[in-house]
Amino acid sequence: MKITIENLTKKFGDSTAVDNLSVTLESGKLIALLGPSGCGKSTILNMLSGILPVTSGKIFFDERDVTGLSPDKRNIGLVFQNYALYPHMTVLENICFPLEIKKMPKKQRIERAKELAELVRISEYLQRKPGELSGGQQQRVAIARALAKEPELLLLDEPLSNLDAKLRVETREEIRRIQRASNVTTVFVTHDQEEASSISDDVILMKKGVLQQQGTARELYDQPVNFFAADFLGAPPINKLYGFVENGQFRFEQSELRYALPLRRQIKDGTPAILAVRAESVVVPAEENRLPATVVERYSINKDELSILKIAGQELRGFISGDYPLTIGGEIEISLKDRGVFLFDRETGERLA
Ligand SMILES: Nc1ncnc2c1ncn2[C@@H]1O[C@H](COP(=O)(O)OP(=O)(O)OP(=O)(O)O)[C@@H](O)[C@H]1O
Ligand SMILES: [Mg+2]
């Protein structure tokens, strides 16, 4: 089912939690709703589910306007951070419960529950109580229960935040697998950019209730529309070099050093700017457009060697092959790739190059 959100706004008193959001969620996709705490993710999800009334705007499920419908008329599956399983019921009873409400005959609902248990790989625990399961297993039961009614839309609000790091990675891969197998349109809320990037077809990036960018994680990473998007995606965080625009070039703060890159439009001299550089865009040995740098530190994270350099007095972290000889305190030359290097207006965050 395709979801269309049109000019959706939610106000709580004077404050606007979601501000005039218009996006389309394609049918059968897993969409990550990404952004920092308080940016309106849960509010959007709760309006999709019908738990929260909208202030203005419309929500369509395919061609159907569901804006005024109550949650039970929307045919959605919901999973929250605290899975809220019924503790006194077995796993089987938990999954069957929504089907019982729907008055499905007992034999049929047990069959369906067993299919779902198979899908989420919890068949061997059907007779256990939730308290006798690990966090990840409980989470999968919650997903099975949400899928039991054959929802046309599955809504997951930070479903992995109660799990430890390893289980989080495993469970998110499970969610991806289950989503592909069931092919149900799914919205997955997270504030973790890596989580969003690793499992979603599409990312919706929010800041303070305002849509920043929608696209694949790759598109957001390679073509961020503004400074916020460039800074929110990627680890280590994108390097930020401060300076201003002068004669169509970037000039480093308190330095004569300049860097030329193709500006998207004419920019007034003296405009404060940030040259944003991904760590993998630092090139050593240098090619064209060389910049002088000092080596401050180098250390390895797994297979990559991350080096800390200083350039015009500002710190720059770059991945430099471990085979390349670097002396701490030594002077080197670097260049920057075209890819992963952006220029932003320091005040507005607008992308200038
Ligand atoms: N019931 C409410 N009454 C008043 N303000 C609210 C209410 N619910 C949410 N807000 C405010 O709306 C904004 C968005 O909240 P929301 O819960 O959607 O954020 P979120 O992106 O889900 O954050 P988190 O990652 O912390 O869960 C916040 O500023 C929050 O304080
Ligand atoms: Mg939330």
Side-chain angles (χ1 to χ4, degrees):
M1 185 171 70
K2 177 173 113 175
I3 316 295
T4 311
I5 297 175
E6 272 179 19
N7 308 106
L8 188 65
T9 294
K10 181 69 195 181
K11 291 193 175 168
F12 294 109
D14 287 342
S15 78
T16 306
V18 178
D19 194 357
N20 199 28
L21 174 70
S22 295
V23 284
T24 303
L25 319 182
E26 293 301 332
S27 181
K29 297 253 150 103
L30 198 167
I31 295 114
L33 197 48
L34 176 68
S37 182
C39 74
K41 304 180 295 293
S42 297
T43 304
I44 296 168
L45 211 71
N46 292 338
M47 287 191 284
L48 284 173
S49 72
I51 293 174
L52 203 60
V54 313
T55 302
S56 59
K58 284 198 179 324
I59 300 170
F60 295 89
F61 288 180
D62 284 333
E63 307 309 317
R64 199 158 44 106
D65 183 347
V66 299
T67 317
L69 288 188
S70 59
D72 55 308
K73 300 217 169 61
R74 295 194 187 196
N75 197 18
I76 44 158
L78 263 175
V79 179
F80 293 107
Q81 183 177 339
N82 52 351
Y83 336 120
L85 296 172
Y86 307 112
H88 56 285
M89 292 185 190
T90 64
V91 167
L92 182 69
E93 288 162 350
N94 261 284
I95 302 174
C96 281
F97 189 70
L99 302 175
E100 205 175 321
I101 304 255
K102 261 181 131 183
K103 306 225 176 343
M104 186 187 273
K106 188 165 182 193
K107 187 157 167 280
Q108 223 175 313
R109 64 178 190 250
I110 289 178
E111 243 166 61
R112 170 92 183 123
K114 284 186 171 165
E115 266 172 40
L116 285 162
E118 195 99 348
L119 176 74
V120 303
R121 298 186 177 151
I122 45 160
S123 303
E124 50 192 300
Y125 311 118
L126 285 175
Q127 296 314 322
R128 291 207 197 165
K129 299 270 173 68
E132 299 161 343
L133 299 176
S134 75
Q137 290 160 348
Q138 289 183 44
Q139 188 56 284
R140 301 206 302 266
V141 175
I143 294 171
R145 191 179 58 180
L147 288 172
K149 293 180 293 184
E150 296 186 44
E152 291 179 280
L153 175 63
L154 182 62
L155 302 172
L156 308 168
D157 195 349
E158 308 244 9
L160 308 179
S161 45
N162 284 347
L163 308 180
D164 68 44
K166 184 164 172 285
L167 201 54
R168 222 164 39 220
V169 171
E170 282 172 22
T171 311
R172 81 185 183 205
E173 284 166 8
E174 279 293 281
I175 290 177
R176 172 85 265 200
R177 186 186 61 75
I178 295 164
Q179 192 273 332
R180 278 201 209 282
S182 60
N183 201 34
V184 57
T185 310
T186 300
V187 183
F188 180 103
V189 165
T190 178
H191 58 265
D192 180 339
Q193 59 90 22
E194 201 226 324
E195 200 165 277
S197 302
S198 61
I199 63 165
S200 64
D201 295 303
D202 224 3
V203 177
I204 291 174
L205 179 64
M206 301 290 300
K207 175 192 170 190
K208 295 185 181 157
V210 179
L211 172 70
Q212 304 293 302
Q213 191 167 4
Q214 180 181 20
T216 63
R218 179 50 59 197
E219 282 162 1
L220 266 66
Y221 187 79
D222 285 340
Q223 290 301 338
V225 294
N226 57 23
F227 176 70
F228 177 81
D231 198 27
F232 201 78
L233 278 93
I238 198 161
N239 287 289
K240 296 166 253 307
L241 298 165
Y242 297 92
F244 46 90
V245 177
E246 195 180 85
N247 294 328
Q249 295 189 325
F250 174 76
R251 178 167 153 191
F252 289 78
E253 209 155 72
Q254 296 176 357
S255 165
E256 290 298 316
L257 192 64
R258 286 150 213 274
Y259 190 74
L261 67 178
L263 300 185
R264 294 180 158 189
R265 59 179 178 85
Q266 210 172 359
I267 311 293
K268 215 170 93 206
D269 270 6
T271 301
I274 300 174
L275 181 67
V277 179
R278 300 239 181 255
E280 65 272 21
S281 301
V282 175
V283 181
V284 176
E287 292 162 5
E288 294 158 3
N289 285 324
R290 297 168 172 233
L291 293 165
T294 313
V295 181
V296 177
E297 188 58 85
R298 99 183 298 190
Y299 54 91
S300 53
I301 33 175
N302 301 326
K303 65 181 190 346
D304 295 314
E305 296 246 2
L306 188 71
S307 296
I308 304 177
L309 310 173
K310 273 235 159 123
I311 177 162
Q314 302 186 47
E315 212 165 78
L316 175 71
R317 285 154 197 259
F319 289 119
I320 297 174
S321 160
D323 300 334
Y324 190 81
L326 285 183
T327 320
I328 307 295
E331 306 285 327
I332 59 166
E333 280 189 324
I334 65 160
S335 55
L336 304 177
K337 290 183 186 168
D338 293 337
R339 184 172 177 182
V341 178
F342 316 103
L343 192 70
F344 298 102
D345 184 309
R346 211 192 299 185
E347 261 129 48
T348 64
E350 180 199 345
R351 183 151 160 209
L352 305 176

